[in-house]
Amino acid sequence: MTAADFHGKTELALMSSDVTMRETFIETVTAAMDTDPRIAVVTADISAGNFTEARSRHPERVVNVGIREQAMIGVTGGLALTGLRPVAHSYTPFLIERPFEQIKLDLGHQDVGAILVSIGASYDDPVWGRTHQAPGDVALIDTLPGWTIHVPGHQDEVRSLLTTALAGDDRVYLRLSTRRNARAYPTGAGFTPVRLGNKGVVVAVGPTLDAVLAATSTVDVTVLYTATVRPFDHAGLRDAVGSNANVVLVEPYLQGTSAHEVTTALADTPHRLLALGVGRDSEVRAYGTAEQHDAVHGLDPAGLHHSITRFVG
């Protein structure tokens, strides 16, 4: 089996579960290439076949470098230097972790804009094991200045966020997931209040919202939602907290990734913080399902309910 055959089978295996966000991304970029001559797409074998239509119409702006993830980001940086608006796409660990030095230097240090679009998130497709999991991706990008980070919870949010990103010139990380909430929410700047309560504030990021709502259905807390974690809405959190000094942060990636942002937002406000996310204290070596991984990390409704009620009292 060739590398291309392997990744083709990978995409077929994923089709039933990630068609929504990923296909929305592909359709949006393909359509935008017809009207915006700046937009280019760079892949490293994974998902290359999904841009066949775009390649047929714009062969000079659709580049597949093969299984060379560092080269993918290097080419992305080079295209940006020529004035194009490049979009690079792959599984999260192959897009963020493996070519991180190129992200730091070829994009950040050269101060050029690009859009990095990942799929697979923390453990969306655990059948492939740890090689295809990257719960530390947002924390890693967060070490670099000048990045906007989107974590949509619905395919309609992908379309809105991506359309805005394609029209810009900055550095954007768009983290797609095979998981999604039942409905889309506004994607403008700031938190969206979904539920109001008196015992604390729960911040739900991206596809964690439905689980948070289920977990807090009988808990007297405010629930805030966001699909954009950088820049972080400091003012929105301050306004929502008021005298509710209990803050719970629920993120679908490494636990505590945005804890420092909460601390910054509430620097002058006495508060307590509970950060929930993918655990840092042990390596999960089981395959299983994404839902089983949620349960291991306490990110399923039952686990969230237990943690949140113990915290807010």
Side-chain angles (χ1 to χ4, degrees), residues 18-306:
D18 79 338
V19 61
T20 52
M21 285 196 193
R22 198 186 213 177
E23 285 204 347
T24 298
F25 152 63
I26 293 164
E27 292 169 3
T28 301
V29 170
T30 298
M33 292 185 76
D34 292 337
T35 59
D36 188 345
R38 299 187 313 146
I39 299 173
V41 173
V42 187
T43 59
D45 261 13
I46 291 177
S47 289
N50 290 319
F51 291 98
T52 300
E53 181 183 346
R55 182 180 294 105
S56 68
R57 297 201 295 267
H58 312 288
E60 74 286 357
R61 288 189 281 132
V62 179
V63 181
N64 180 40
V65 300
I67 308 177
R68 299 175 181 87
E69 289 83 2
Q70 291 91 344
M72 173 177 62
I73 300 302
V75 169
T76 297
L79 293 174
L81 284 170
T82 70
L84 294 178
R85 182 61 165 160
V87 180
H89 172 60
S90 188
Y91 264 93
T92 313
F94 311 141
L95 179 72
I96 302 300
E97 293 179 329
R98 189 169 294 173
F100 180 70
E101 183 177 9
Q102 284 69 39
I103 293 173
K104 179 179 71 175
L105 299 178
D106 297 350
L107 297 178
H109 190 62
Q110 293 191 127
D111 196 21
V112 294
I115 305 171
L116 306 184
V117 183
S118 71
I119 188 66
S122 294
Y123 45 72
D124 277 5
D125 194 37
V127 67
W128 296 113
R130 193 65 171 88
T131 58
H132 286 56
Q133 300 170 14
D137 59 332
V138 174
L140 196 56
I141 289 291
D142 200 27
T143 66
L144 304 175
W147 283 86
T148 296
I149 303 176
H150 299 307
V151 187
H154 191 276
Q155 67 269 25
D156 290 345
E157 296 169 9
V158 173
R159 192 181 311 279
S160 174
L161 293 167
L162 184 56
T163 298
T164 300
L166 289 170
D169 293 300
D170 56 342
R171 291 183 290 280
V172 177
Y173 176 40
L174 179 61
R175 188 187 207 257
L176 304 184
S177 176
T178 64
R179 330 283 291 282
R180 64 180 182 131
N181 301 316
R183 56 157 291 189
Y185 287 83
T187 57
F191 291 119
T192 297
V194 180
R195 180 183 294 155
L196 299 179
N198 299 298
K199 289 189 174 182
V201 175
V202 181
V203 176
V205 175
T208 68
L209 178 61
D210 278 3
V212 167
L213 291 176
T216 59
S217 61
T218 60
V219 187
D220 185 18
V221 292
T222 290
V223 175
L224 302 179
Y225 172 72
T226 187
T228 299
V229 292
R230 301 293 183 275
F232 193 87
D233 183 13
H234 295 145
L237 182 61
R238 285 195 298 270
D239 291 344
V241 166
S243 60
N244 296 333
N246 298 318
V247 178
V248 181
L249 178 65
V250 184
E251 299 178 282
Y253 34 80
L254 201 62
Q255 180 182 14
T257 295
S258 296
H260 68 288
E261 295 286 358
V262 175
T263 300
T264 299
L266 304 178
D268 299 324
T269 303
H271 64 280
R272 299 167 63 235
L273 171 63
L274 173 64
L276 303 175
V278 178
R280 295 171 175 262
D281 56 349
S282 63
E283 178 83 13
V284 178
R285 293 183 170 85
Y287 285 72
T289 66
E291 290 74 20
Q292 289 171 327
H293 282 253
D294 283 345
V296 168
H297 296 290
L299 294 176
D300 60 324
L304 290 170
H305 178 80
H306 176 74

